[in-house]
Each structure stands twice: as structure tokens, then as C-alpha cells.
Amino acid sequence: MIPSDQNKYLKCLEEALYEVEKYLESSEDAAAAVEPDKGLGRLSRMEAMQDQQLVMEMRRRKKRQLAEIKVAISRIEMGTYGKCIFCSRDIAPERLEVAPEVQTCIICS
Ligand SMILES: [Zn+2]
């Protein structure tokens, strides 16, 4: 991969890293357990718990993404970025455009 492309993806990855970290920070409270004595009615308490479930699921996904982004950044540093970790073929640029943290080609994914 040419250096200017690598820089472009590195910038995308750093931005994504920032966004994900910001999300994880801001959603911390929403993911905390719904307190039983919060003074909510029965229905709104159920809603609050459903919301909490959604936030927790989203956080799980974001945490996985965060780990992938970090790996991708270290692969840029090692010079192996953009190659499939299974077959070491180049990953299609269109794929990296959508998700710069992907580490597998379309065939191996
Ligand atoms: Zn592959």
C-alpha cells in the first residue's frame, strides 16, 4: 500500500478511535444497572431496562470495534495494514473505505 493511502486510513482510524472512545465514555451511565428505587412506574422501569439492554449491546459492539481499530493502527505501524490476515491478499480499497479496521478480505471474512 502506498504511504499516502496509509496516512489516509490512519487518519480515518484515529477519528474512529476517538468517536468510539467518546461513545463508550458518554454511554457509561446509560449502561449502568437500573436502580430498583429510582421512582419509576412499572412500565417506565421496563422501558428503562430495555434501553439499558440496547446500550449494553451497542457498547459490546463498540468495544470490539475499538480493539479492531487499535490492531489496525498497529498494523499500519508494522507495515502489514491492508493485507488479509488469513490469505495475505490485499483487501479491496472499497472494503477499507467502509470499515478501515477490517483485517480480512471479502473471501475470508
Ligand atoms: Zn483473505
Side-chain angles (χ1 to χ4, degrees), residues 83-91 103-109:
K83 295 224 180 293
C84 173
I85 52 168
F86 293 119
C87 67
S88 66
R89 265 189 287 248
D90 285 340
I91 300 169
Q103 293 167 65
T104 54
C105 71
I106 194 103
I107 301 156
C108 300
S109 70

Side-chain angles (χ1 to χ4, degrees), residues 45-57:
R45 184 170 150 70
M46 256 173 62
E47 280 172 358
M49 285 170 80
Q50 278 170 357
D51 286 350
Q52 185 207 5
Q53 287 298 316
L54 285 178
V55 172
M56 282 172 71
E57 175 56 32

